[in-house]
Amino acid sequence: ASSDRGSIGAGIRRVVGAWAVGRFTDALLAAQDLMRTHPKNGDVANILGQALLRLTPPRLADADREFDAARSLGCGKPQLLADSIR
């Protein structure tokens, strides 16, 4: 569980780092990889939803699906859900 949290945290940092330099497709690929390895994690579903929203054009229906999954899986970081609304 602790190693899962560490790998999830590292994966989320990769996604956010890609966003910081405008590499939105790379961020999406990193989020999708993270979701493949942690399919039952609400925080991962949330970050994938955010990655989908940052594409041009945004993939709104796919993002909504991931945000619903994040809520049902128990996103442990409420600020992540709040960030997705902005």
Side-chain angles (χ1 to χ4, degrees):
S2 178
S3 65
D4 277 354
R5 279 196 302 274
S7 69
I8 290 168
I12 289 174
R13 285 188 295 278
R14 276 193 299 278
V15 173
V16 172
W19 288 338
V21 294
R23 297 180 64 141
F24 301 108
T25 300
D26 290 346
L28 175 63
L29 294 173
Q32 288 171 328
D33 285 345
L34 195 56
M35 193 64 178
R36 272 190 283 283
T37 55
H38 303 285
K40 302 286 187 200
N41 185 283
D43 295 336
V44 172
N46 181 274
I47 208 79
L48 177 54
Q50 290 189 56
L52 290 160
L53 283 182
R54 284 174 167 80
L55 296 175
T56 304
R59 289 174 43 190
L60 300 176
D62 293 333
D64 283 344
R65 185 187 65 243
E66 294 304 330
F67 293 138
D68 287 344
R71 280 187 289 277
S72 68
L73 291 169
C75 182
K77 299 188 177 353
Q79 69 274 18
L80 289 179
L81 286 171
D83 287 347
S84 67
I85 296 167
R86 288 190 199 132

